[in-house]
Amino acid sequence: MKLYRAYAAIIAAGLSSVAFAEQTDKDVVLNNYKKTSTEVNTTAENIDENIEKQRDVTYDRENGVLPIADNRGFSLASKDGKFILKPYLMLQTTLAFNYYPDEGLDKAYNQDNVANSGFAIPFGIIGFTGKAFGKIDYNVCVNAAAKGGALLQQAWIDYAPSKALRFRVGKQKTPFAGAFLTTLGETLFPTMPLSLTCTSILPYSLNAVNPSINTGWDLGVKMHGLIANKWGYELGIFNGTGGNVNTATKGFSDDNHLPSLLYAARVTFQGNGPMPMSQGNPNLLDLGTKYLVGLSVNYNNEAENESTNDFRTGVELALLSGSWSMAAEGYYMHVGFTKRMKIDDKFNYLGGYAQLAYFLNKSWQLGVRYDWMDRNGTRKDGSLNSPGVVCNYFIPQTNIKLSAMYQYTGRWGHDTQADRDLDNLGLATHSAMIMMQYAF
């Protein structure tokens, strides 16, 4: 109850200070713009134009949801820009249709081909983000649509002695897979690639959870930074238990006598300067050409309730150039059982996707994606392929995004019908979704 009262008090104070916020926002943006551009016109007549042009560029997007002081909502800031507070909200409502194949359905229990369809709210995020002392970024938010430990979506403090050396502690995104690291609400599709989110298939039922390639949210610490305005790096240690657990539950590995944690690293090259992690934002169409090439690797020591050790690696490419955006990734996962499981067996999985999008104008964006997953492992023939299409509409001057997508999940190359049936269990053959999103 105290938490809700605190939220209400801060929001009320912010609403009563909108006029002040707008003025200091101009001062801070103009200040930053002077530092990053030699072409800025500092006359009063051009201040508003410069703010609209550079707001998304000059402010960091570290919270993974909204830039700290863009044109959605308001911010409170000191005149020197060292202290900034931004309350924010991001809400998504979806209408989904999923059609499942006959395999895995028990007609005796009247299980239907159409399931997991209807309305849903995947994200109802309320949070606060900002800066302090010019060296600290902070962010805390809850996802009211989640439950359990996932209710706390993010909670971290980021200390930056310099741009090239930063330390972040708390619940945050693990440094793996550009599709997941993309700013929430600025992905091309309403859903992430299936190859990242679907669980792998193992011929054993001893482990509690079959691992997926994506590592998601987690608690931990990472060192990161941007060197020479081109080279990005992230080195982190996390619990390896995912976003549903907010407590310390790990011990030491019996196999290699190391702490049972997730060890992760990611390196990127951004040749034309820092690239926003975005796949669709009409405010970035005048940004010029930005690109990113990345390599990531992690090892989850005694993952999944001490049943497997999971090694992952991935390569990514992303591009923003005017109305065009492109992204492609490939990833690999090696799963080996621990000694205590008494299973001398190992499995390898591959996956990847490629997507392309184009803004017809500042309101309409069209995109396509091809997603591929070797879900049953490299030792068996057969894989999943999921082509999809999407249309996004950004309603002017409302912060509302409408998105409509369709995705087909097919199977090919399997040796037997049984392998083909097993590979698609739990996955819809036909998926369609309409999403409405609002953010400030």
Side-chain angles (χ1 to χ4, degrees):
M1 197 68 182
K2 292 181 179 180
L3 178 63
Y4 293 128
R5 289 176 180 173
Y7 274 129
I10 295 178
I11 291 176
L15 289 173
S16 65
S17 308
V18 172
F20 166 78
E22 288 179 349
Q23 181 59 45
T24 55
D25 188 31
K26 289 183 181 181
D27 294 337
V28 174
V29 174
L30 183 58
N31 223 14
N32 282 325
Y33 190 62
K34 287 178 181 178
K35 297 176 182 178
T36 57
S37 174
T38 58
E39 300 176 357
V40 64
N41 185 338
T42 57
T43 61
E45 293 79 4
N46 291 67
I47 290 179
D48 288 331
E49 181 181 348
N50 291 327
I51 289 174
E52 293 305 316
K53 182 178 180 181
Q54 288 293 319
R55 197 188 298 261
D56 279 321
V57 180
T58 57
Y59 279 90
D60 68 75
R61 308 156 70 84
E62 289 291 336
N63 61 35
V65 182
L66 292 175
I68 289 178
D70 68 350
N71 56 5
R72 289 169 284 188
F74 60 90
S75 302
L76 304 177
S78 61
K79 289 188 176 182
D80 60 6
K82 290 185 177 181
F83 294 88
I84 304 174
L85 170 66
K86 179 181 178 65
Y88 66 89
L89 174 146
M90 208 279 287
L91 175 64
Q92 287 183 351
T93 302
T94 62
L95 173 60
F97 172 83
N98 290 295
Y99 182 90
Y100 294 83
D102 291 333
E103 298 86 6
L105 299 180
D106 192 338
K107 298 299 183 180
Y109 289 91
N110 295 320
Q111 290 182 334
D112 198 358
N113 295 90
V114 178
N116 299 323
S117 299
F119 291 96
I121 299 180
F123 293 105
I125 296 175
I126 304 172
F128 297 93
T129 187
K131 293 180 177 294
F133 303 101
K135 292 185 178 181
I136 295 174
D137 285 3
Y138 60 88
N139 183 46
V140 58
C141 65
V142 296
N143 182 8
K147 60 182 180 181
L151 184 64
L152 178 65
Q153 189 195 52
Q154 297 186 66
W156 50 258
I157 297 173
D158 193 306
Y159 171 60
S162 69
K163 192 173 182 180
L165 182 62
R166 305 176 65 172
F167 300 91
R168 178 174 298 184
V169 179
K171 191 171 188 179
Q172 55 192 287
K173 289 184 175 183
T174 50
F176 188 82
F180 175 71
L181 296 173
T182 297
T183 301
L184 191 61
E186 294 188 13
T187 57
L188 178 61
F189 280 74
T191 60
M192 287 179 57
L194 195 66
S195 55
L196 275 173
T197 57
C198 73
T199 57
S200 57
I201 294 178
L202 291 168
Y204 302 100
S205 59
L206 294 176
N207 53 312
V209 180
N210 289 11
S212 61
I213 291 181
N214 187 38
T215 49
W217 304 92
D218 214 334
L219 275 71
V221 57
K222 76 174 181 181
M223 180 175 69
H224 65 119
L226 188 65
I227 301 173
N229 221 38
K230 292 183 179 182
W231 293 94
Y233 72 93
E234 299 171 76
L235 301 171
I237 303 176
F238 306 89
N239 279 343
T241 49
N244 293 323
V245 180
N246 294 327
T247 55
T249 61
K250 308 309 287 283
F252 265 74
S253 166
D254 295 328
D255 291 358
N256 50 35
H257 307 292
L258 292 173
S260 300
L261 299 170
L262 171 67
Y263 304 86
R266 179 172 178 257
V267 178
T268 61
F269 177 70
Q270 303 167 58
N272 290 340
M275 174 179 171
M277 295 300 293
S278 175
Q279 298 172 354
N281 184 334
N283 295 323
L284 299 178
L285 298 184
D286 298 327
L287 187 62
T289 298
K290 299 283 187 178
Y291 68 91
L292 177 149
V293 180
L295 177 66
S296 53
V297 61
N298 66 57
Y299 181 66
N300 203 353
N301 190 21
E302 285 198 0
E304 313 299 353
N305 292 337
E306 298 187 344
S307 62
T308 61
N309 295 310
D310 306 336
F311 171 82
R312 300 172 178 86
T313 185
V315 61
E316 60 186 283
L317 171 66
L319 171 73
L320 292 175
S321 183
S323 298
W324 291 95
S325 67
M326 184 273 287
E329 292 192 75
Y331 17 81
Y332 161 82
M333 179 172 68
H334 173 82
V335 176
F337 285 92
T338 58
K339 292 179 181 178
R340 71 171 61 184
M341 305 308 294
K342 300 185 181 349
I343 300 176
D344 187 18
D345 212 350
K346 303 181 187 302
F347 300 89
N348 299 294
Y349 301 89
L350 296 169
Y353 72 92
Q355 64 185 38
L356 182 67
Y358 180 74
F359 272 97
L360 301 177
N361 50 48
K362 283 203 168 187
S363 294
W364 291 96
Q365 183 190 36
L366 303 178
V368 294
R369 181 174 70 191
Y370 181 78
D371 190 13
W372 178 85
M373 174 63 175
D374 189 9
R375 192 186 184 201
N376 58 10
T378 57
R379 297 193 313 195
K380 281 189 174 183
D381 291 333
S383 60
L384 301 177
N385 60 101
S386 302
V389 294
V390 67
C391 176
N392 296 319
Y393 178 60
F394 301 83
I395 301 179
Q397 300 179 344
T398 64
N399 302 340
I400 292 178
K401 175 184 177 181
L402 298 176
S403 185
M405 66 161 283
Y406 167 76
Q407 178 173 283
Y408 170 79
T409 300
R411 300 161 288 176
W412 63 11
H414 297 83
D415 279 342
T416 66
Q417 185 62 38
D419 288 342
R420 176 182 170 87
D421 295 344
L422 180 64
D423 212 4
N424 203 34
L425 287 183
L427 303 179
T429 300
H430 302 279
S431 298
M433 179 179 291
I434 298 174
M435 180 196 74
M436 174 179 280
Q437 171 184 295
Y438 175 74
F440 78 81

